Structures are given as C-alpha cells and as structure tokens.
Amino acid sequence: MAAMTKAPPVLARVYRGSHVESVHRGCLAVVDEKGRLLEGCGDPDLPVYARSAAKPFQAMPLLLAGGEKQFDLGDAEIALMCASHGGEPRHVQLARRILRRGGFRPDDLRCGAHSPMHEASARELVRRGEKPTALHNNCSGKHAGLLLACRALGLSHADYTDPGHALQRRIRALVARYADIPESWITVAVDGCNLPVFRLPLSALARAYARLVAGRLPGEEPCAAAVRARIVRALTKQPDLVAGTGRFTTDFIQAGRGRWIGKEGAEGVYAVGLRAAARGGKAIGIAFKIEDGSARPRDAVTLAALDRLGALPLGARRALASYAQPPVQNALGLEVGRIEAEVPIARRGRRGAASRGARQAKR
Amino acid sequence: MAAMTKAPPVLARVYRGSHVESVHRGCLAVVDEKGRLLEGCGDPDLPVYARSAAKPFQAMPLLLAGGEKQFDLGDAEIALMCASHGGEPRHVQLARRILRRGGFRPDDLRCGAHSPMHEASARELVRRGEKPTALHNNCSGKHAGLLLACRALGLSHADYTDPGHALQRRIRALVARYADIPESWITVAVDGCNLPVFRLPLSALARAYARLVAGRLPGEEPCAAAVRARIVRALTKQPDLVAGTGRFTTDFIQAGRGRWIGKEGAEGVYAVGLRAAARGGKAIGIAFKIEDGSARPRDAVTLAALDRLGALPLGARRALASYAQPPVQNALGLEVGRIEAEVPIARRGRRGAASRGARQAKR
C-alpha cells in the first residue's frame, strides 16, 4: 500500500473554451469486501472525515435494536435516515412522521436549521415568509432515526449528539467494524449537523462500503447482515429520498437498478458500494475525496471511476450522460466550458479483474 | 523566473477540529511597476483567465473617450463599472441610472440575469415574487459602462459583447499594454456575463495591477495616466459599490484608506494594486489564482500575502481580522473549524525591500 501513496491523483479539469481554467485533485481507493486495495489514486490511505457518507452506518443501531418492527419503518423511512435530502416537502413531511413514531417533536432535533438544498423548495419558503427549520436540514432524517434509536435502546435523548453518548459510541464501533479498523484509528470532530464526524483512512471508508453491500461477512451475526441488507434495499428502492430532485445520488442509485449504492459526504467525499456482479463474486467499495472539498467534480469522477472498473452498463451510462462531462454555463445559459474527470486506474473489462495488459502496465 | 516555477504553492488549509479536512492550492505572483517579479508561489507565470479582475481595464475606453464629462460620471458610476456588485437595491438603481445617461434601457444589457449575490436582496426579490434581471447581474455596471463607451466612440452597441467588436479589441489592447505583454499572448474565451475573458500569465496580471496604481509610466500619455488615476480614486472612494455589504473586497479597500485596491475574479482569482508607499517608491501588484477555482480561501490568502510583504498596517489588520482566519461554522452556528492560509514568500519589513535575512534565505 505504501507504494501507492505516490500514485497519480484523480484530476478533474474545468475547461473554459479550449483551455483549463481550474483543476480539482483527489484521492481515491477501490477495495474489495475482503479488504484488498485494488486501486488507488493519490494517497488511498489519506485520513478523511467521512461526513454524510457515514449515514448508512449511523442508521444501523436503530435497526439492530429492532426499530423496524417497533416503529413500523419501511424503505422510505430507512432511506431518509441515510439521506442528505433536499428539504423538499416530501422529505420534510417524512422526517416529521418519523419523529412522531417515537413520540418526538421537531424541537427534539439537535441538527440546527438551514435552507433546503433544493432551490425551488428554498424559494418557496422565502416566498411564504417562513424560516427554515431543523426539519429542512438535509440531515433531519438521520437525526430523527437517532432519536428513535434512543427510544428503542432506552437511552436519554436530550444529549444524543454528544460524542460520549452510548448511541454515538455504538455508531463509532460499527463504523470501525465495517471499515475493519481498530476504533482507535478513528478520530472524531463535529459535523455540520452537530453530530460526531468520523475521520478514517479513505481506503477504510471504501472497505466499509464494500462490506456494507456484501453478502454475509465472516463472523457476522445473521441479524447484522440482515440489517445491512435492509439498509441497502431501502436506498435502492427509494433513491428519491436519499437526495432528491435533480440530484446526482438519486439518479445514480436509480440508474444502478439495485447494482450499487452511492452516498455523498460534505467537502468532496463520495462513497460507492458495488454489489457482487455474480454469485460468488466480490462486492467492491469505492471512496474518494476531492482535496479542496468541492462537490463540483463529484459526479464526473464517480462515473469515470465506475467506467474504468468496467462497472457502468450501457443503460446506466446513457441515463447518467449529463453527469459524466457536465457543461459550464454562463448567465445567458450558453455552454462556455465543461468538466472532464481523469481517474488514473487500470481499465477493467466488464466488472471483472483488470485486463492482462492493464495489469502488466501497473506492475 | 523559470527557477520559480517549482516554488512551493500557496496553501489554505481548512481545519475541522484539530485536523485538516480540505486543502486549497494556489499560485501567486508579486510584481513591481517596473515589471520585476519579486515573489512567486507555485507557478507565477501560470496562464489564468482574469475574469472580473479585468474590470478596471474594461472601464478604460469609456474614460479615454471623454465619457466622464460627456455622461457626467462620478466616483459612484465609475466604481460600479469596475464592480462585481451584490445586486443590492443601490447597485441596481445605479446601473439603471448609468444606462439612462447614454439613452439605454436594461434590455440593451447582454449580460444575462442571475440572482443577486447579496443574499438578503435575493430573498427580497423572491418574497416579492420578482425574477432577477440583467440589472441584478454582478456585471451590470460594467456592461452599462461598455454601452456608454459605444455611444461615446460612435460604435454599434447591439454586438458590443462580440470579441471582434472594436470596443473589445480596444480593451484587449489595453490589458496587453498594462500587463506589458504582446497582445498575441492573450487568448480569449467567453466569460460568465458573455463578454470576452482574457487569459494571460498570472505575473502579467500582477504587473497590470502594479501599473494600474502606479504614477505616470514611461511613454504613457498624460490622459491615459489620468484615466488610471481616476479609476483607482473611484474604487477607493466608493468601495461599497465595488462589491457590497459584508463583502471582503469592499471592506478590504475601505481598510486600505487609499493605499490599495483589490478585485476578485471568478474561479479563485484575486488581484491587488499597492500604491507606492512613499514618494519615489514603487507600486506593487499581487495576483493569485486558487487552482480549484474556489473563493473560500481568497480573503485569508490576500491578507497573508500583504502581511508577508509588510504592507498590512495595524489598523487594517484589526479592521479585517475576521477575514484573516475565517471560522468554519455548522448549522447551529458553532465554530467547528477554521481556514489558515500559508503564503510561502519572504517576510518583509514595513512595506520596503525584503529584510536582509529573508533576502539571503531566498538566494
């Protein structure tokens, strides 16, 4: 792995006319469910804050505690708990309903308020003279789920965002478990929504996503494997609740037709879990971090990575074409440039091992 | 200069808790009015699109054609022509007044519309159910000035944004003249507001700013020198019209009390012209480009550069303290991190040559 720390970085070039105007650099790790680093760009072991890419793991304690049955949770509720949603009316209403299932009110949320990420919804609030509430926060589903988890586990909920709270310690242990690293490797800071945020090597985040979408893992309890499968199913069944209208993650999961999940984190983080292509195959996790924290190259980089890995079927490629090389438009709507992503990893055949040529070139 | 192309880059580190979460890299050039490169970070000769940092030069043809007298222009009008304004009501009204001076209407603007950069003004528009117009475009003052220039010069105005229009060719020649480079070094693409945008070496942009704020230049016509001085005076007298409420450029120029001007360009460009500190001293230009195009580190990098150059008096340092190491806040308003800029150039004494120690270290 050490040899890879000097691998060429991911580059996303922003063209204006025929010249590059700006460049985003990134690190990327591709890991299989066994934990093997298959590919790395830049430093694949760079410590990164997972930000919202941790959400599927933050939803686990509730389901492990039997919350699905206790609170009658379906795909929609579970998807919203893993979401960075747009604050669209259906997201806000669902967050409110989740809270009610546990007897909570919006005031119990400790995520703070921000304008809906979905612009039309933000404008509609302003037009009506209303202020955004914690329900509009893109993390309100996650927070609502954590409150239910407190209820299910018999824990106090007033301090549920505290890093020392039993629920937070449980989440940290789950992140470590699926990332397959010692808990002590994870450092904690404060996230945008006030929860503990986990800092771990990029390759460990990729590994956590590979294991999230894998079949049963060695030594794993059947109920834990079932909870993972439940979360993955919810994300693939309700992609609209994971992000929202016109959002890459929603369209990306939709286009995957169950083959993959993807989740953004703030500051240029993205993680993908590719389910095993065939019986007996291995699940793969991809995680990358844009060094400068920008979300701008995210969509193009994600698709370029899947393309190099031979994991982007023609239908998905077509459905996501507008994300693969996004145009730069000016105030008149004219296309004045474009974004091109370069992910310098070996080109693989259709979702298999690297072609022989690419493998040899790498050695 | 070649030796400097491998100089360490500008770095702006975005901390979350005690760890770096994201990093912005940049190139920077410090040039005096004689054209000497005093300092460079990264590649000081990197070709960059000047974007809105070209605005003071785009205002020149109107004033060179006697437009100040013809259209009764004061500091306010000239400042707005060089502005990336916030689309606040006073900006919009002034842009409309400038147009009227030449018998133009808002429909004559070819800049396109976007929501006011000033958030409260944008919200107010939405609240009233109104759509943003070309007057709200941050470039409307520049475009209004170009229309007046067409009038003053007897040129057609319908096609004033065309790169081949006589006014645009004149502007390009002026950029080349003050950057002190052949016109052929400048390549052109389309800006966000539909005007030609100029691509030139970063050091040439810095040189243009040094020469913009310098006393009379060798071989320069007195009227040209007077136009430069007129533009610089307008910017320093009306900083609120150059950007707007709560904007760095406005507060930065204000805090300089006539010592400097500063102007942002899109995609992480910034340029500063430092007037000669004393009679017989030399004006200095600083230009930098954040590689990834982000504006986030701009303020901290600008102030760090001035600080290293010994050009930041105590009063200005105090007035601008909130920009020097901006906090990262979360949705609850808690400070969860900070931005720290590192500009690796020799530390100089109070606005003079490098101290002997720093000079020797550089060699």
Side-chain angles (χ1 to χ4, degrees), chain B residues 84-99:
Chain B
S84 298
H85 66 70
E88 300 176 62
R90 62 186 178 285
H91 300 137
V92 171
Q93 287 153 17
L94 183 55
R96 195 191 301 273
R97 283 203 302 274
I98 295 173
L99 287 171

Side-chain angles (χ1 to χ4, degrees), chain A residues 1 37 41 50-51 59 86 98 160 165 167 187 202 217-218 221 227 238 259 275 297 316 319 321 330 339:
Chain A
M1 232 189 278
L37 184 71
C41 303
R51 306 297 300 267
I98 295 173
Y160 76 94
H165 189 282
L167 177 60
T187 56
L202 190 60
L217 300 168
E221 311 81 353
V227 159
Q238 294 282 354
R259 285 187 193 88
R275 298 171 78 180
N330 74 4
I339 302 174

Side-chain angles (χ1 to χ4, degrees), chain B residues 12-359:
Chain B
R13 297 178 179 89
V14 182
Y15 284 84
R16 177 165 297 267
S18 50
H19 294 285
V20 172
E21 179 164 31
S22 299
V23 179
H24 301 279
R25 303 172 193 231
C27 298
L28 179 139
V30 181
V31 178
D32 72 14
E33 65 178 81
K34 300 281 183 197
R36 286 177 301 207
L37 183 72
L38 304 179
E39 297 285 352
C41 304
D43 177 4
D45 295 320
L46 180 79
V48 299
Y49 285 113
R51 308 296 301 265
S52 288
K55 280 173 176 168
F57 306 95
Q58 289 167 312
M60 285 180 175
L62 171 63
L63 301 183
L64 287 168
E68 184 179 359
K69 204 169 172 187
Q70 183 178 351
F71 300 110
D72 190 23
L73 305 175
D75 290 327
E77 289 80 7
I78 297 170
L80 198 77
M81 289 173 191
C82 303
S84 298
H85 66 70
E88 300 176 62
R90 62 186 178 285
H91 300 137
V92 171
Q93 287 153 17
L94 183 55
R96 195 191 301 273
R97 283 203 302 274
I98 295 173
L99 287 171
R100 275 202 209 114
R101 302 270 173 92
F104 293 103
R105 292 164 312 141
D107 279 355
D108 294 313
L109 295 170
R110 293 278 176 274
C111 51
H114 65 69
S115 273
M117 291 166 77
H118 182 244
E119 279 189 24
S121 299
R123 277 199 303 272
E124 179 57 18
L125 267 193
V126 172
R127 206 189 56 72
R128 293 204 308 257
E130 292 175 18
K131 295 220 162 160
T133 69
L135 289 170
H136 297 95
N137 188 311
N138 77 87
C139 302
S140 65
K142 171 177 68 172
H143 280 255
L146 295 180
L147 285 167
L148 297 197
C150 291
R151 192 72 88 211
L153 292 161
L155 300 170
S156 72
H157 68 82
D159 55 345
Y160 76 94
T161 62
D162 194 292
H165 188 281
L167 177 59
Q168 297 304 336
R169 284 189 278 120
R170 210 173 273 230
I171 291 168
R172 186 169 160 180
L174 283 163
V175 170
R177 175 181 190 172
Y178 288 105
D180 205 17
I181 55 174
E183 258 189 80
S184 61
W185 286 22
I186 299 178
T187 55
V188 171
V190 185
D191 210 338
C193 68
N194 226 30
L195 283 175
V197 61
F198 307 108
R199 184 167 174 270
L200 71 174
L202 190 60
S203 55
L205 179 61
R207 191 155 53 239
Y209 266 74
R211 287 157 60 92
L212 177 63
V213 300
R216 189 155 157 217
L217 299 168
E220 190 181 33
E221 311 81 351
C223 67
V227 159
R228 284 194 291 108
R230 185 72 196 86
I231 288 170
V232 171
R233 194 176 84 212
L235 293 174
T236 56
K237 292 286 182 197
Q238 295 282 354
D240 175 57
L241 297 173
V242 185
T245 306
R247 291 268 299 277
F248 172 69
T249 290
T250 290
D251 293 343
F252 175 62
I253 298 177
Q254 184 97 50
R257 297 166 175 262
R259 285 185 192 90
W260 57 65
I261 57 166
K263 185 73 198 76
E264 69 268 57
E267 290 291 328
V269 167
Y270 208 78
V272 174
L274 294 174
R275 299 171 78 180
R279 218 183 154 80
K282 283 183 196 65
I284 286 176
I286 308 168
F288 65 85
K289 159 84 183 174
I290 302 302
E291 178 188 78
D292 58 72
S294 172
R296 179 162 69 169
R298 178 191 58 207
D299 315 348
V301 169
T302 305
L303 296 177
L306 259 72
D307 186 35
R308 301 292 295 188
L309 293 169
L312 199 61
L314 192 61
R317 183 192 308 270
R318 282 186 183 146
L320 300 167
S322 65
Y323 291 107
Q325 199 186 90
V328 173
Q329 295 183 320
N330 74 4
L332 282 172
L334 296 177
E335 185 171 328
V336 294
R338 66 194 181 285
I339 301 173
E340 287 185 12
E342 180 185 341
V343 177
I345 58 177
R347 184 174 285 287
R348 286 159 192 249
R350 193 158 260 286
R351 194 52 217 289
S355 65
R356 186 164 300 169
R359 263 191 190 166

Side-chain angles (χ1 to χ4, degrees), chain A residues 129-142:
Chain A
E130 293 175 17
K131 296 222 159 155
T133 68
L135 289 170
H136 297 95
N137 188 310
N138 77 85
C139 302
S140 65
K142 170 177 68 171

